[in-house]
Amino acid sequence: MSKEFKIKMKINALPEEVYDALTKPFAIELWSGAPAVMSTEPGSEFELWEGDICGRNISFVENRKIEQEWYFGDQEEQSIVVFNIYPNGTQKSDLQIIHTNIPDEDYDDIVDGWKNVYLDPLKHFLEDE
C-alpha cells in the first residue's frame, strides 16, 4: 500500500522567487544547507541532501509548477511530487505540494521531513531574505 501527502502554505514571496528557490542549485543549497544537483531540464536527475532525496525531473512550467519522480529503493512504482505555485496578492504565493505513492513504512518520516526539513527552511529563507 501507499499513501498521499498534501499541504498548502502561504509564502511571503513572489511566485518566481519560490520557483527559483526550488529549482536553482545555489538557492537550494542556501536554504537546505547541503549541496544540490538540480536542473530544469525535463528528464534530468536531481539529488538533494547528499542523496537523501533523489529522482528525476518530469516537467516544469516556469514560476508555476514542478513535477518530479522521487526514488524509494526497490519500490516498483516511484512516488510523484508536484509543486504548484499560485500568486496570492501583491508579494505573496501559495505553494501546494502533492506527494503520491509514498510507501506506508516511510510515510511518517516523509511527512516529518516535508514539514521540518524542507518547508520550514524554505519558508524561512524566502521570507527573511
Side-chain angles (χ1 to χ4, degrees):
M1 288 296 294
S2 62
K3 295 182 177 180
E4 178 180 286
F5 171 74
K6 281 183 169 182
I7 191 167
K8 189 172 187 179
M9 62 189 285
K10 292 187 185 319
I11 299 178
N12 292 322
L14 296 169
E16 51 268 28
E17 294 170 327
V18 176
Y19 183 84
D20 286 350
L22 292 169
T23 59
K24 297 204 180 300
F26 181 73
I28 296 168
E29 290 176 22
L30 288 175
W31 63 262
S32 74
V37 176
M38 179 62 71
S39 165
T40 54
E41 185 69 35
S44 62
E45 300 281 320
F46 68 90
E47 184 175 303
L48 310 173
W49 285 278
E50 299 177 337
D52 286 349
I53 297 174
C54 58
R56 181 178 65 86
N57 290 307
I58 297 171
S59 66
F60 297 89
V61 177
E62 190 172 6
N63 302 329
R64 296 282 183 245
K65 184 177 182 179
I66 302 162
E67 186 175 6
Q68 299 174 323
E69 178 181 41
W70 284 23
Y71 302 152
F72 281 100
D74 296 335
Q75 184 177 338
E76 218 169 278
E77 272 189 58
Q78 301 304 335
S79 67
I80 301 296
V81 174
V82 178
F83 298 86
N84 290 302
I85 305 164
Y86 306 101
N88 181 352
T90 310
Q91 298 285 319
K92 299 178 183 177
S93 303
D94 287 334
L95 174 63
Q96 177 193 47
I97 296 169
I98 304 167
H99 188 168
T100 58
N101 202 31
I102 302 170
D104 282 344
E105 63 273 11
D106 295 319
Y107 185 80
D108 290 338
D109 287 340
I110 295 294
V111 169
D112 182 62
W114 271 119
K115 292 177 180 174
N116 298 313
V117 179
Y118 209 107
L119 296 174
D120 284 351
L122 174 66
K123 185 175 173 77
H124 181 74
F125 170 75
L126 287 166
E127 293 184 349
D128 293 341
E129 282 190 314

